[in-house]
Amino acid sequence: MAVLGLLFALLDSLSKAIDTLINKKIMRTRSAEEHAVLRIMFVIPIFFIASLFNYRLEAGCIGFLLLYGALEAVNIFCHQLAVKSSNAVHVEMIAKSKVLLAMIVSFVLVIDTLSVGGVIGIVVFVAGAVLTINFQNKNDDRTGAKGIFFEIVSVIARTFKPFILKTCVKRGLISNETMLFFSMVVALVLLFAVLRPRIDLNTVPVKAYTAQAAMVAAGMILSGWAVIYANIVIVNAIESMSVFFVMLISAVLYKKKYTALSAIGCALSVLGIVISIFF
């Protein structure tokens, strides 16, 4: 089961990379408020269908569900603000701090534990991830303090979500798919109430949002399965490989070039993940 969870995490990282690149393109013509709401509206029907195949919801999970939905709302909105004003690769790199936060939370709550080799592997991964940021390309978008702040807030919200999900699923209170569907409904209500975005449905790029919704849904479902079957900290590390997929796709499709230091960082991060899994 653990191997299956790690495979789900790897597939999730690929879907997240594609989502990040689609996200950046869509947001060139959308406000963060409008985009955050549209993103949820397009993905909810997919989660609804998924929940029909694996529905489970006990009364004791309502509080966790509301908290999960609130964290999702914060995560989505802050992440969109960060993506709109930052370099896609830099945003993905900042997001990798979730690995360290997950390690700390896991240690404090004693939900998942890591061996000494696992800790060393995660540290090596983070060190390699830092090296992949390419500051030398003058044609890249810059990442300012505003983008960094909003992505850090998003990371904090994202860090606690898998722990809530794993706790609820292990107790038999809810299924992964049911949690995703209802939490998105909660997030949509909260964002609508707080942001009150103006949405012109006639100008919404339906195909682009549908494609993104498919990537978002696939990533979140796979992420849920991953944390259920495997160690949360290691899953977070593997999911963090999305930054490398972003770089690979950008190099192939957009002909972006990265430094030798970035390549070394990628290799170091992969080594860190191998250490964390097998040692």
Side-chain angles (χ1 to χ4, degrees):
M1 284 296 187
V3 174
L4 189 60
L6 299 179
L7 175 60
F8 288 147
L10 183 62
L11 293 174
D12 175 36
S13 69
L14 175 58
S15 68
K16 278 183 169 60
I18 298 173
D19 173 35
T20 296
L21 294 173
I22 296 176
N23 216 27
K24 184 70 176 178
K25 184 176 181 179
I26 293 177
M27 289 197 70
R28 290 173 182 169
T29 58
R30 301 278 149 188
S31 68
E33 294 82 1
E34 181 185 13
H35 178 62
V37 170
L38 285 172
R39 181 182 172 94
I40 298 176
M41 289 175 64
F42 273 81
V43 80
I44 281 179
I46 301 177
F47 285 144
F48 173 70
I49 294 172
S51 68
L52 294 179
F53 290 93
N54 188 23
Y55 183 83
R56 183 176 184 82
L57 177 61
E58 302 294 336
C61 189
I62 301 301
F64 289 111
L65 178 56
L66 294 175
L67 176 59
Y68 194 95
L71 289 173
E72 189 61 68
V74 172
N75 165 42
I76 291 175
F77 181 56
C78 289
H79 181 64
Q80 305 322 309
L81 287 175
V83 169
K84 190 173 180 65
S85 60
S86 308
N87 180 293
V89 172
H90 295 177
V91 169
E92 283 298 299
M93 288 309 310
I94 297 169
K96 302 319 142 205
S97 61
K98 185 179 72 167
V99 178
L100 295 178
L101 287 176
M103 187 186 298
I104 295 171
V105 173
S106 183
F107 175 78
V108 173
L109 300 181
V110 197
I111 294 177
D112 278 331
T113 57
L114 283 176
S115 63
V116 174
V119 173
I120 293 174
I122 298 300
V123 172
V124 172
F125 166 82
V126 174
V130 171
L131 293 178
T132 64
I133 300 181
N134 180 13
F135 289 108
Q136 300 177 11
N137 191 336
K138 296 180 180 180
N139 295 321
D140 276 348
D141 298 328
R142 294 301 177 185
T143 301
K146 181 179 178 181
I148 294 174
F149 171 78
F150 283 117
E151 187 58 23
I152 289 175
V153 174
S154 174
V155 165
I156 293 174
R158 265 179 279 172
T159 298
F160 287 95
K161 284 173 52 193
F163 291 99
I164 295 173
L165 176 63
K166 187 164 189 171
T167 298
C168 291
V169 172
K170 289 297 185 181
R171 293 179 182 178
L173 299 176
I174 197 170
S175 68
N176 176 39
E177 294 78 8
T178 306
M179 175 70 91
L180 292 175
F181 169 61
F182 282 111
S183 66
M184 279 295 179
V185 173
V186 171
L188 181 61
V189 171
L190 288 175
L191 289 178
F192 249 121
V194 175
L195 303 178
R196 300 180 183 277
R198 295 181 179 180
I199 300 177
D200 183 0
L201 296 178
N202 294 323
T203 64
V204 174
V206 176
K207 290 183 179 180
Y209 271 106
T210 300
Q212 184 178 49
M215 288 297 101
V216 171
M220 293 185 71
I221 290 174
L222 288 167
S223 179
W225 290 346
V227 299
I228 291 170
Y229 294 123
N231 183 287
I232 291 178
V233 180
I234 295 179
V235 165
N236 274 322
I238 295 177
E239 289 177 344
S240 296
M241 289 184 69
S242 59
V243 66
F244 311 129
F245 285 121
V246 168
M247 293 173 65
L248 178 61
I249 295 172
S250 296
V252 173
L253 296 183
Y254 306 116
K255 309 301 180 183
K256 284 192 175 183
K257 296 182 179 180
Y258 295 95
T259 64
L261 194 59
S262 294
I264 294 173
C266 286
L268 192 60
S269 291
V270 172
L271 175 62
I273 291 176
V274 172
I275 293 173
S276 66
I277 294 174
F278 294 103
F279 298 94

